[in-house]
């Protein structure tokens, strides 16, 4: 297991703790575990999954007496990001390829054979953690038949038994060489109603980790944003020039990216590029270069927050606080 990174958002810590605890239960022969990670784009879901996956490293199993035979790659973590065209067949084909079993398009077998091959490959490669990202694309798009296939596939992977197996939802049994897994499904809030309507899915995916978008409120959310900002500033080697603890600066940066962490990353990357190009003129104030970098994340012609006068900044922050408080009340 790797060391936890220096800074994690609350939901990222919750995700990591939940999965590592489930992993310990699997090692003690318990049943599969299902977890849903929900949140909008840019809130840090992918980074949280990256941190999670980094705790499980690939290795090679080799019998001591074998010269060349008996060598088996072990893949504890398997990840797949579903796109808008994802269906059960395409998902299984991609997942099998990542496990070293390429399925030729012209010889692609039926769904039942693909599923059986995949479950066998997961067992052989000792996959313990299956991460299905952007899964709303698979379970919400297409025809009801395709959506049903995706839901059934989740159930069968959870049980590690094909659809026509007599094992059904049975628990692991000693001596039967059962294999159980942790399945993390990530996507938007659209996922939850789909799982809620299916009693079997909701009971197997009862752990839900919500990834909120950071903002000015509640205070803990803005504190977490400042923590991410400090980490990214250090990553871009701007520490000392761009002071992440500056309240005025942090507020302007929040207004610029609206809590969207990928936009924050892009803003700081562009700022670092401009700063490096400045050469001997690196004594330029951060606001000047941030103002130049802002168009890289803004295509709508919105007001540049790094050009606002102090009074205008206060008004914009007050407005954002009111809006954030109203949204928080609605969500509650």
């Amino acid at each position: 297991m790797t060391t936890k990174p220096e800074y994690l958002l609350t939901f990222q810590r919750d995700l990591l703790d939940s999965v590592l605890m489930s992993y310990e239960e699997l090692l003690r022969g318990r049943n599969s575990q299902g977890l849903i990670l929900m949140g909008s784009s840019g809130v840090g879901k992918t980074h949280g999954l990256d941190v999670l996956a980094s705790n499980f490293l690939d290795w090679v199993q080799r019998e001591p007496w074998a010269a060349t035979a008996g060598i088996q790659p072990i893949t504890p973590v398997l990840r797949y990001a579903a796109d808008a065209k994802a269906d059960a067949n395409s998902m299984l084909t991609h997942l099998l390829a990542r496990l070293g079993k390429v399925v030729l398009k012209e010889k692609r077998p039926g769904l039942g054979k693909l599923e059986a091959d995949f479950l066998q490959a997961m067992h052989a490669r000792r996959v313990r953690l299956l991460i299905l990202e952007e899964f709303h694309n698979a379970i919400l798009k297409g025809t009801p038949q395709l959506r049903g296939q995706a839901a059934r596939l989740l159930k069968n992977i959870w049980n590690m038994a094909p659809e026509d197996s007599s094992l059904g939802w049975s628990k692991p049994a000693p001596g039967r060489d059962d294999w159980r897994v942790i399945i993390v499904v990530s996507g938007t809030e659209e996922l939850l109603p789909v799982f809620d309507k299916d009693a079997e899915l909701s009971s197997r995916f009862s752990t839900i980790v919500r990834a909120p978008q950071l903002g000015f409120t509640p205070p803990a959310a803005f504190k977490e944003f400042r923590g991410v900002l400090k980490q990214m500033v250090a990553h871009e080697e701007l520490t000392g020039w761009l002071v992440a603890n500056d309240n005025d600066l942090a507020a302007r940066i929040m207004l610029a990216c609206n809590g969207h962490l990928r936009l924050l990353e892009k803003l700081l990357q562009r700022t670092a590029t401009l700063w490096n190009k400045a050469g001997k003129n690196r004594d330029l104030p951060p606001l000047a270069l941030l103002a130049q970098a802002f168009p890289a994340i803004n295509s709508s012609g919105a007001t540049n927050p790094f050009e606002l006068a102090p009074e205008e900044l206060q008004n914009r922050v007050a407005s954002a606080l009111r809006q954030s408080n109203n949204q928080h009340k609605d969500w509650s």
Side-chain angles (χ1 to χ4, degrees), residues 76-291:
V77 179
L78 185 60
R79 292 177 72 171
Y80 171 76
D83 58 26
K85 298 180 180 179
D87 58 25
N89 287 69
S90 65
M91 282 192 295
L92 287 171
T93 299
H94 281 86
L95 288 167
L96 277 167
R98 295 186 180 186
L99 292 175
K101 187 177 179 63
V102 177
V103 180
L104 298 177
K105 187 174 183 180
E106 60 272 16
K107 296 183 179 180
R108 183 175 296 179
L111 181 58
K113 180 65 165 59
L114 277 174
E115 183 180 310
D117 287 348
F118 174 61
L119 297 180
Q120 183 181 30
M122 281 189 75
H123 194 166
R125 297 288 286 263
R126 294 298 191 256
V127 175
R128 281 297 194 180
L129 174 61
L130 175 63
I131 300 174
L132 301 173
E133 301 176 64
E134 305 301 324
F135 201 69
H136 54 277
N137 286 323
I139 211 163
L140 295 174
K141 309 294 183 185
T143 65
Q145 180 184 8
L146 293 177
R147 295 195 295 271
Q149 287 178 354
R152 285 194 299 274
L153 178 62
L154 272 185
K155 298 174 187 177
N156 295 335
I157 295 173
W158 192 95
N159 192 53
M160 282 297 289
E163 185 176 5
D164 58 356
S165 171
S166 61
L167 297 179
W169 291 96
S170 60
K171 295 181 179 180
R176 202 168 58 191
D177 196 27
D178 286 338
W179 191 253
R180 292 298 186 257
V181 294
I182 304 165
I183 308 173
V184 176
V185 172
S186 78
T188 66
E189 295 281 342
E190 298 171 291
L191 280 174
L192 194 55
V194 176
F195 281 77
D196 284 344
K197 291 177 183 177
D198 190 314
E200 289 180 329
L201 276 182
S202 62
S203 65
R204 267 64 193 181
F205 289 80
S206 57
T207 301
I208 300 173
V209 176
R210 296 182 182 273
Q213 184 164 337
L214 299 180
F216 286 107
T217 59
F222 189 55
K223 182 178 180 181
E224 292 208 317
F225 176 78
R226 303 270 300 257
V228 175
L229 174 60
K230 182 178 180 180
Q231 187 178 45
M232 289 190 179
V233 166
H235 180 73
E236 295 298 334
E237 299 181 347
L238 295 173
T239 303
W241 175 76
L242 199 163
V243 182
N245 291 331
D246 185 305
N247 291 328
D248 178 279
L249 194 59
R252 291 176 189 270
I253 292 174
M254 170 62 84
L255 290 172
C257 68
N258 194 30
H260 195 294
L261 300 185
R262 276 200 291 271
L263 293 181
L264 171 62
E265 182 180 42
K266 178 63 177 177
L267 175 69
L268 295 179
Q269 286 176 353
R270 181 57 53 88
T271 302
T273 299
L274 293 170
W275 188 75
N276 286 322
K277 289 179 66 176
K280 294 181 180 179
N281 295 320
R282 286 182 176 177
D283 56 347
L284 289 169
L287 283 182
L289 291 189
L290 284 164

Side-chain angles (χ1 to χ4, degrees), residues 15 37 45-53 79 131 133 184 186:
L15 172 68
L37 173 62
K45 299 194 303 295
T46 300
H47 178 64
L49 294 172
D50 289 342
V51 172
L52 175 60
R79 292 177 72 171
I131 300 174
E133 301 176 64
V184 176
S186 78

